[in-house]
Amino acid sequence: MYRLLIVDDEEMITDGLYETLSGCGLDLDLCKAYSGREALDWLNRTRVDIVLSDIRMPGIDGLQLMSAIKRHWPHCRLIFLTGYSDFDAVYRAIQTPGVQYLLKSEGYPKVIAAVKQAVAELNDSLRVKDLIQRAQDKLNTLEVLARGEYFRHLLHGANPAPNLAADFSKLNISLDAGRPVYLAQGSLSRASSAESSYANRHESAMAVTLLAERLLEGQVLSLGMIDRFGDVVWLIQRSADRADSSEDEADEKDEGDKGDKGDDASFLSYLVGQFELIQQACLSSMDLSVAVTLGDRPSEWAKLSSTYDKMRRQGQTRTGDGAQMVRTLSLEASCCARERSPRDKSDALSAHLDAGRRDEFLQLFDELTDSEQDNGSPYLQELYYTISLVLLSYINRLELENQVAGFPALMRPDEFASWKEAFAFLRATSGELFELRSSGESNRAAEAIFKVRAYVEEHLDEDLSLVRLAGYIHFNPSYLSRLFKQACGVNLSEYIEAARIERAKALLRGDDLKVLEVGVRVGYEASQSFTRFFKKSDRRHAAGISGSSQNVTKGVQA
């Protein structure tokens, strides 16, 4: 929703423009200012998208206001409305981008048309395509970051999207979603004994990924990234030319499976040789030692996470210090090999819980616990305590210990008759935490709406603009407007209007206050404005079009 500020030192003009624009169906948050100084206060307090202002005003005039607007909100559109044919002022106005000029004598239709034009210009300027075109360099950087984040997401447990190719296209990833991928991992260390900061280690890892990309370029498709442990991970496929060439050679040999296996071995040898070159380049140019672990076969995308987990586990055992070593690990499935470590998945569980992603959390929980019968007691203990610590950390941070029924049992698995019963308890506790989160959000929303309504009742004689009310409860105006409409079924402005009508009626029933005094008590300093407001509301009731206002009135009375 755009915000429009009306500025004129003549109160009747300001109020008239406000009422006219309120009734023309534009989705705008309207604000009023009766002087340039008051307009500056608005500009300092909140974002303003369109300003409809007189040029000639005492104190700060329209042209001075224009300079302040361009400093504070450069995207803001300005419409000057004046009764003076001042050539200098007009000339300066029309020379400034985003500024329109109208004479007051042209009437409301011209004003409405100018406001609609300003809204259209704002929409055009904020189109995503235009923003991307103006920030292409930044987009390229963000693409690299997004690709790394996307694959880290897959490596650490997320299931690939059903249409993986669509994700690759959107992120400009050159890998083929229809073919398996080799996985390689590089652990970095300084050849010298010099200590390195986190920033230096991260910079070194990025430099290694770029150097490897250049040395692998052409022969393979590759993408390098940094995992959460600070190691470099590469995803590698044969380039289209190399794959076609290999298929032709296999056809010529006509040896069926033997040809395929021989070709796989040949490609693996090529990768080992290239990583040896990468190691030499890193050592000579950056004083970095890189130990590389390379899977001996490509992995399907759906099994990428388990392949990565297996490589990390096997990579923990090295011969010597492992420096400058390129180690090829067998990824052949083993009946006793565990597909994942609970600790490797705890961050994903915690992230889903913190973000309120119930379905994703429970899906990962079920994946971890469904295989519990196939593992021994030490593994089950590790799994139980890993999940319990995720839940316990969340409960402590949000101070929910008194609201979770089974809180004391979280770290006591021996209280359950079986592991199946223990994990069922953890799953139920997880569901309870998601319910508490949902109810807490609803309760906080209801409390915020209650505070706003109470504030409105106590300050009907003051400024009750959306900006002021939003500042009172520390929300942004657009969110407050949407939240109030969701909770109460009517716009906040309608609620305020109904509240003022009810208060005015109650005061007018007495004999001790004049109409002017009643108007002041419900926020109208000028008697003409109050009379206009009251008559307009009365006409709406008489015409039978005030159903929503009647509902609001009931809410106000309640």
Side-chain angles (χ1 to χ4, degrees), residues 510-532:
D511 298 328
D512 52 339
L513 293 176
K514 297 178 181 179
V515 172
L516 176 60
E517 295 172 318
V518 171
V520 170
R521 294 199 181 190
V522 294
Y524 287 87
E525 296 287 342
S527 59
Q528 301 96 328
S529 298
F530 172 63
T531 302
R532 241 186 347 263

Side-chain angles (χ1 to χ4, degrees), residues 270-441:
Y270 166 77
L271 290 180
V272 171
Q274 290 303 104
F275 276 113
E276 287 176 343
L277 287 177
I278 292 169
Q279 287 176 327
Q280 293 177 23
C282 290
L283 188 63
S284 61
S285 62
M286 293 182 284
D287 193 33
L288 276 177
S289 177
V290 184
V292 177
T293 302
L294 176 64
D296 68 338
R297 65 196 65 206
S299 168
E300 298 296 331
W301 290 105
K303 297 180 179 179
L304 188 64
S305 177
S306 60
T307 300
Y308 169 76
D309 289 344
K310 194 176 296 184
M311 286 185 61
R312 282 203 63 82
R313 284 198 306 275
Q314 295 187 39
Q316 300 301 313
T317 58
R318 295 178 180 173
T319 302
D321 61 5
Q324 298 299 104
M325 179 181 185
V326 181
R327 181 184 183 187
T328 304
L329 293 182
S330 173
L331 298 178
E332 186 173 5
S334 171
C335 61
C336 60
R338 291 172 187 153
E339 288 297 313
R340 59 192 67 207
S341 164
R343 292 190 303 275
D344 290 340
K345 305 302 173 188
S346 64
D347 283 351
L349 280 173
S350 182
H352 291 324
L353 183 60
D354 286 341
R357 296 189 291 263
R358 182 190 185 111
D359 292 344
E360 289 87 343
F361 179 94
L362 293 179
Q363 181 182 352
L364 182 53
F365 181 99
D366 291 340
E367 287 177 7
L368 287 169
T369 58
D370 277 350
S371 60
E372 62 185 52
Q373 299 302 324
D374 300 328
N375 295 283
S377 180
Y379 173 80
L380 296 179
Q381 283 184 327
E382 180 186 4
L383 179 59
Y384 182 92
Y385 283 120
T386 297
I387 298 174
S388 291
L389 285 172
V390 169
L391 302 182
L392 186 64
S393 175
Y394 182 83
I395 291 170
N396 287 338
R397 279 185 282 115
L398 273 70
E399 300 180 352
L400 299 174
E401 57 269 17
N402 296 325
Q403 301 180 53
V404 179
F407 174 72
L410 276 173
M411 301 306 292
R412 296 203 293 267
D414 55 322
E415 292 190 3
F416 303 98
S418 66
W419 285 114
K420 184 175 182 179
E421 185 179 327
F423 287 115
F425 161 73
L426 291 182
R427 199 180 196 282
T429 302
S430 303
E432 189 178 352
L433 292 178
F434 281 106
E435 290 297 328
L436 285 172
R437 177 191 179 97
S438 178
S439 62
E441 291 171 351

